[in-house]
């Protein structure tokens, strides 16, 4: 049982780190909700996805697939490939999550990009329970996303006209993620590999079937020179104090 004040201290330590994420999560969540509603999904569907899935890009993908033919295997494969980075997040958090007890299942489930970044690199103030700190970071981030998706679902259901251009939201999301990665990475080998592999798969397999082959090709090509790439990224992380 936690000591009196333990949870309060952890919440106070976690809150300032979640505030900068608030605007991005809420507004992107609204976009996701409006996008889902524009596809004809009920207003509560974005809320349900934000609770059950809690993966920004995955929710855009699932929303785009739900109105189509029932094809759970394809949906599963696409989401698995797109969210494959979480496998590496999990490996990095094996040590920090040790001894978390009943908090561990939720920490694993709620580990999004932002929560991982904070929980992995943040220096927990002295006297603050690390387990509760990480729990509140994850809970605050997910709560912000749920709020945004819910607002988007409600607003989308209230708009009588089709929202022009909202279908481009997922494309824009991935473009922004790619540009952010390009600007922050010390070596562009993985990004260039992604561009070439995607273009090649598009030419070979066509617009309807290129995604999974492209992802597999990227995984193979990037994994092969892993021994040479890891020191480059490790040097950058050490320079940033991680």
């Amino acid at each position: 049982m936690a000591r009196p004040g333990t949870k309060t201290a952890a919440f106070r330590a976690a809150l300032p780190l979640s505030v900068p994420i608030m605007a991005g999560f809420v507004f992107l969540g609204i976009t996701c909700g409006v996008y889902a509603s524009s596809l004809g999904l009920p207003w509560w569907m974005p809320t349900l996805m934000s609770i059950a899935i809690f993966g920004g890009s995955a929710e855009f993908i699932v929303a785009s697939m739900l109105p189509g033919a029932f094809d759970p295997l394809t949906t599963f494969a696409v989401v698995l490939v797109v969210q494959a980075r979480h496998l590496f997040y999990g490996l990095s958090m094996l040590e920090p999550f040790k001894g978390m007890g009943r908090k561990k299942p939720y920490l694993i489930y709620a580990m999004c990009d932002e929560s991982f970044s904070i929980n992995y690199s943040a220096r927990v103030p002295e006297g603050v329970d690390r387990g509760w700190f990480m729990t509140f970071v994850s809970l605050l981030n997910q709560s912000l996303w749920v709020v945004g998706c819910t607002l988007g679902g409600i607003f989308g259901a209230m708009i009588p006209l089709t929202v022009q251009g909202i279908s481009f939201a997922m494309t824009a999301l991935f473009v922004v993620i790619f540009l952010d990665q390009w600007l922050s990475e010390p070596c562009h080998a993985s990004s260039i590999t992604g561009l070439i592999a995607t273009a090649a798969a598009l030419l070979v397999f066509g617009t309807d079937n290129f995604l999974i082959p492209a992802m597999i090709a990227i995984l193979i090509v990037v994994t092969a020179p892993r021994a040479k790439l890891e020191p480059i990224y490790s040097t950058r992380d050490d320079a940033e104090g991680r």
Side-chain angles (χ1 to χ4, degrees):
M1 189 174 182
R3 300 188 306 273
T6 298
K7 296 180 182 179
T8 301
F11 178 82
R12 290 177 176 174
L15 182 60
L17 298 177
S18 295
V19 169
I21 299 173
M22 182 181 299
F25 263 38
V26 172
F27 284 104
L28 187 57
I30 291 174
T31 302
C32 183
V34 173
Y35 174 63
S37 295
S38 71
L39 296 173
L41 298 176
W43 71 267
W44 48 264
M45 184 60 72
T47 303
L48 179 61
M49 291 194 298
S50 66
I51 296 173
I53 301 175
F54 188 40
S57 53
E59 290 177 43
F60 278 93
I61 293 171
V62 172
S64 66
M65 290 183 165
L66 281 176
F70 182 69
D71 192 357
L73 292 180
T74 299
T75 303
F76 174 79
V78 172
V79 171
L80 177 63
V81 172
V82 171
Q83 300 291 95
R85 66 189 184 281
H86 288 263
L87 296 173
F88 301 99
Y89 293 170
L91 292 174
S92 301
M93 297 302 292
L94 286 176
E95 186 65 29
F97 282 174
K98 281 186 178 179
M100 291 299 144
R102 291 181 294 178
K103 295 185 284 293
K104 187 174 182 179
Y106 177 72
L107 288 171
I108 295 172
Y109 155 74
M111 188 169 56
C112 64
D113 297 343
E114 292 76 11
S115 297
F116 165 77
S117 178
I118 295 173
N119 287 333
Y120 181 74
S121 61
R123 295 181 179 180
V124 181
E126 186 177 353
V128 173
D129 182 270
R130 184 172 182 83
W132 281 112
F133 170 83
M134 292 193 295
T135 300
F136 280 122
V137 166
S138 302
L139 182 61
L140 285 168
N141 288 345
Q142 184 178 14
S143 298
L144 295 172
W145 181 252
V146 172
V147 169
C149 289
T150 301
L151 291 175
I154 294 174
F155 293 158
M158 294 172 60
I159 298 174
L161 299 176
T162 301
V163 182
Q164 298 296 328
I166 196 66
S167 59
F168 189 72
M170 187 169 67
T171 303
L173 170 65
F174 284 113
V175 169
V176 171
I177 292 174
F178 175 81
L179 291 176
D180 180 69
Q181 182 67 23
W182 179 276
L183 293 173
S184 63
E185 62 187 7
C187 174
H188 299 311
S190 59
S191 297
I192 294 174
T193 297
L195 291 172
I196 295 175
T198 302
L202 182 61
L203 291 174
V204 174
F205 298 98
T207 57
D208 294 331
N209 303 303
F210 81 97
L211 184 58
I212 294 179
M215 290 294 185
I216 294 174
I218 292 170
L219 181 62
I220 294 174
V221 175
V222 173
T223 301
R226 177 181 174 185
K228 294 182 179 180
L229 291 176
E230 277 189 343
I232 299 175
Y233 289 95
S234 298
T235 300
R236 184 199 67 171
D237 290 343
D238 292 341
E240 294 177 352
R242 294 180 186 174

